[in-house]
């Protein structure tokens, strides 16, 4: 009989200990700004209403990064069709690790200029987001 209560107590302790980090994250940095929110409000709906300018900045940045990624994919598909096909063939469940690694390296080399353009585009997206957030704060940088 004594084993059952000890097991229940241990299970309760483990459950409580596991909940502490989740509670800390829910109230920590990145969870809805200085006044809370963002946790349990339907995916930031309240934050969108409270901070529409910042929400627009986030949406624009997300779209910018997705456009940059799509452009890079198109660039690589246009510049490296042979290398893509070779990598797809070399990276199957029946291929060796070395075959896949070599084909991937060849594809990466072919795609280098596309990756350079992607990095430049991502930098442009970050700069635009910073400018947008600064505008939201009334032009004062933090």
């Amino acid at each position: 009989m004594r084993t059952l209560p000890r097991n229940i107590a241990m299970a309760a302790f483990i459950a409580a200990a596991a909940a502490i980090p989740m509670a800390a994250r829910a109230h920590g940095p990145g969870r809805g700004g200085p006044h809370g929110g963002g946790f349990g409000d339907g995916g930031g709906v309240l934050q969108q209403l409270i901070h529409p300018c910042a929400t627009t900045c986030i949406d624009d940045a997300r779209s910018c990064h997705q456009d940059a990624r799509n452009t890079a994919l198109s660039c690589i598909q246009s510049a490296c069709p042979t290398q893509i096909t070779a990598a797809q063939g070399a990276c199957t469940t029946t291929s060796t690790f070395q075959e896949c690694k070599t084909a991937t390296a060849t594809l990466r080399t072919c795609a280098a200029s596309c990756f350079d353009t992607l990095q430049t585009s991502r930098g442009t997206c970050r700069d635009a987001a910073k400018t947008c957030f600064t505008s939201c704060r009334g032009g004062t940088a933090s």
Side-chain angles (χ1 to χ4, degrees):
M1 288 278 185
R2 187 171 164 101
T3 307
L4 182 60
R6 189 177 295 162
N7 288 343
I8 292 172
M10 182 58 81
F13 173 76
I14 291 170
I20 291 171
M22 290 187 293
R25 275 195 299 261
H27 298 289
R31 299 304 276 169
H35 306 291
F39 185 73
D41 75 350
V45 172
L46 296 180
Q47 290 304 313
Q48 185 173 352
L49 294 170
I50 296 167
H51 304 288
C53 184
T55 300
T56 298
C57 295
I58 292 167
D59 290 345
D60 289 350
R62 187 175 292 127
S63 177
C64 183
H65 281 279
Q66 188 60 49
D67 289 347
R69 181 180 171 85
N70 289 341
T71 298
L73 285 169
S74 293
C75 176
I76 296 167
Q77 288 170 338
S78 295
C80 311
T82 304
Q83 292 83 350
I84 293 169
T85 302
Q88 288 170 338
C91 297
T92 65
T93 56
T94 59
S95 303
T96 67
F97 172 76
Q98 191 58 46
E99 290 172 326
C100 183
K101 182 178 173 183
T102 300
T104 300
T106 302
L107 176 56
R108 185 177 294 111
T109 299
C110 177
S113 66
C114 299
F115 285 130
D116 290 342
T117 301
L118 175 62
Q119 288 304 102
T120 300
S121 297
R122 286 178 172 169
T124 301
C125 293
R126 281 189 297 274
D127 291 344
K130 288 177 187 176
T131 300
C132 185
F133 282 117
T134 298
S135 173
C136 288
R137 290 189 303 266
T140 58
S142 61

